[in-house]
Amino acid sequence: MAFVVEEKIGEENARKYKLNKVEKDIRNKISKKRLPFRCYPEISIELSWRIDRELGAWLINYGSFGGFWDHCNLDFNAYRLYYQGKMFDAVITYGAWFGDFRMINGQKRRIHKLYALEPRSSGKLSKSDIFKILQDALNAENENVLLIDALDYNIDYVGGFLIDGYRFEDNLEQIINPFRNQHGLASLSRDEIDHLWCISKELNEIFLIKVGSDGSNDLFTLTHYNHGYYEYHANIVLKQISNKTVDGINEISYKIKKIEILGDRSEAPTQGKIKRLIRKMFRSTCESGLEGFSPNLIDEKFKLSLISHLFEESEFFIKLKQWIVKLQNLIARRKNPRLSGF
């Protein structure tokens, strides 16, 4: 069987799955703010659900919340998933108010994004297992739904200046074009920004946007929002030190060449923290399953080697090598006393 939508849960199912206790548990966790939600919805348990009786799983929408974020309404839905005796809470959104649709393999798909999942795994169930069940349940109502994992970092377009409600016109005018001009690159028009790609963590409001290339140097801007307002920017130059294909996977290694923090530096992290953030964003980026990305970005694994300077040239390394040579000589003398001149 598969998931089907049932308009009525029915008293028998309510008793079988103890839905009164489920509702009480949801209300209790929300009152104590123990769920991974940015803001907490008003509880409204739907009378309908999606259920796969053969699998022994069901999905109920129990609330929604949203708001006007930086010129754009976002709507989030809160769900309770039941599977193999385990309960999971999920936050899923459709994206911006106008709907988020993509053409994939010639088919128009509606994009849903999974923003929060608690717990992310349980027993033998991995995050990917739970993700697949959620995808199947959502497809019970509309087979054109594509669920994207936005729990960590994901690659996306800066399409129409918007990534889930955040607008990038100011970023374009105040950050991107001056940065490009510094490297002798032409300014981008508002249409051209649609071709930029971005590694994003939308719910935490962090965006790393590739804005151009200058020879072997790739130019990025890191933007951090806080409740819809810019908190800090950083212009970043990454130098490609290797770009090779291993077993069909393109692996790119970068060297940090320059980080320039803009705006209120008191609100910005140290350069070391920015380096660690970039490393995590690259390593956490997973396959998006969307068409249209340039070949070197989709279906590929990224490695980021963060090197602030050549370790081999450092004074510490030179002294370390001298100490190792002395230690090796001492060990050799102890093994062969005649080498010591006795």
Side-chain angles (χ1 to χ4, degrees):
M1 289 184 66
F3 278 94
V4 295
V5 177
E6 293 186 351
E7 296 299 328
K8 278 193 173 183
I9 294 176
E11 293 183 5
E12 183 179 343
N13 287 321
R15 287 194 300 270
K16 178 179 179 180
Y17 293 104
K18 301 177 181 178
L19 295 187
N20 60 331
K21 289 187 177 180
V22 171
E23 182 175 354
K24 184 178 179 181
D25 177 64
I26 291 170
R27 292 186 182 279
N28 181 53
K29 286 184 176 179
I30 284 182
S31 66
K32 295 181 179 179
K33 296 188 175 182
R34 289 171 53 197
L35 294 176
F37 300 162
R38 180 170 185 157
C39 47
Y40 285 81
E42 291 293 328
I43 295 299
S44 178
I45 301 291
E46 289 189 349
L47 298 178
S48 62
W49 65 358
R50 299 167 177 84
I51 184 169
D52 184 330
R53 287 186 167 79
E54 186 176 309
L55 195 63
W58 49 257
L59 182 71
I60 292 178
N61 184 334
Y62 63 81
S64 62
F65 52 94
F68 197 65
W69 288 13
D70 201 20
H71 311 293
C72 190
N73 277 310
L74 292 180
D75 292 314
F76 295 86
N77 292 307
Y79 291 93
R80 172 62 63 96
L81 173 69
Y82 172 86
Y83 179 59
Q84 292 187 357
K86 307 290 185 181
M87 298 282 187
F88 303 90
D89 288 283
V91 177
I92 298 174
T93 185
Y94 297 155
W97 63 270
F98 50 79
D100 193 353
F101 293 93
R102 308 287 170 85
M103 292 301 295
I104 300 174
N105 297 326
Q107 185 182 28
K108 190 175 183 181
R109 304 286 295 274
R110 183 163 190 173
I111 305 302
H112 293 218
K113 291 188 177 182
L114 176 65
Y115 279 100
L117 180 64
E118 177 67 32
R120 289 197 179 192
S121 61
S122 179
K124 294 181 179 180
L125 291 175
S126 66
K127 185 185 79 170
S128 60
D129 295 328
I130 303 165
F131 183 87
K132 185 180 184 306
I133 296 167
L134 286 169
Q135 167 77 74
D136 292 342
L138 292 173
N139 274 323
E141 190 172 14
N142 186 343
E143 292 183 357
N144 289 330
V145 166
L146 176 65
L147 183 64
I148 293 177
D149 182 356
L151 294 174
D152 297 307
Y153 298 94
N154 60 289
I155 288 182
D156 207 343
Y157 278 128
V158 188
F161 306 105
L162 287 162
I163 294 184
D164 289 337
Y166 292 101
R167 300 180 69 88
F168 287 90
E169 292 102 323
D170 292 339
N171 191 285
L172 172 70
E173 295 174 350
Q174 300 174 17
I175 307 297
I176 293 177
N177 281 338
F179 186 27
R180 284 176 59 88
N181 296 158
Q182 287 176 19
H183 291 264
L185 302 177
S187 296
L188 294 177
S189 69
R190 291 180 178 272
D191 292 332
E192 289 171 321
I193 197 173
D194 286 351
H195 299 287
L196 299 179
W197 62 267
C198 171
I199 300 176
S200 60
K201 177 73 170 176
E202 292 93 336
L203 201 61
N204 287 345
E205 307 171 287
I206 300 171
F207 303 90
L208 181 67
I209 308 171
K210 183 180 178 183
V211 300
S213 295
D214 177 18
S216 62
N217 297 327
D218 288 341
L219 312 180
F220 295 82
T221 63
L222 179 70
T223 300
H224 190 277
Y225 286 83
N226 187 6
H227 299 290
Y229 296 95
Y230 294 132
E231 189 161 285
Y232 67 84
H233 297 285
N235 283 339
I236 300 165
V237 180
L238 301 182
K239 180 179 178 62
Q240 287 193 17
I241 57 177
S242 72
N243 189 336
K244 59 185 179 180
T245 301
V246 179
D247 297 329
I249 298 176
N250 191 34
E251 294 186 350
I252 302 174
S253 292
Y254 282 111
K255 171 183 175 180
I256 288 284
K257 193 169 182 179
K258 183 180 180 182
I259 295 178
E260 179 186 11
I261 300 173
L262 308 175
D264 185 357
R265 295 180 63 90
S266 64
E267 298 295 331
T270 63
Q271 288 202 7
K273 287 183 179 180
I274 289 179
K275 290 178 182 181
R276 289 191 290 273
L277 176 60
I278 298 170
R279 181 191 293 117
K280 185 176 181 181
M281 293 180 82
F282 270 80
R283 289 180 176 172
S284 297
T285 300
C286 56
E287 297 177 2
S288 65
L290 301 180
E291 280 189 339
F293 293 106
S294 56
N296 65 324
L297 295 178
I298 190 128
D299 296 332
E300 295 189 359
K301 174 184 176 183
F302 284 78
K303 284 200 315 184
L304 182 63
S305 300
L306 293 167
I307 307 171
S308 58
H309 61 275
L310 289 177
F311 182 64
E312 291 79 3
E313 296 176 357
S314 68
E315 181 180 351
F316 171 78
F317 187 72
I318 293 172
K319 289 184 178 180
L320 179 62
K321 286 199 296 186
Q322 292 173 349
W323 182 83
I324 291 174
V325 170
K326 290 180 181 179
L327 181 61
Q328 289 173 334
N329 291 337
L330 178 61
I331 293 172
R333 290 192 188 100
R334 290 191 174 182
K335 287 184 177 179
N336 190 348
R338 283 180 293 183
L339 294 178
S340 64
F342 293 139

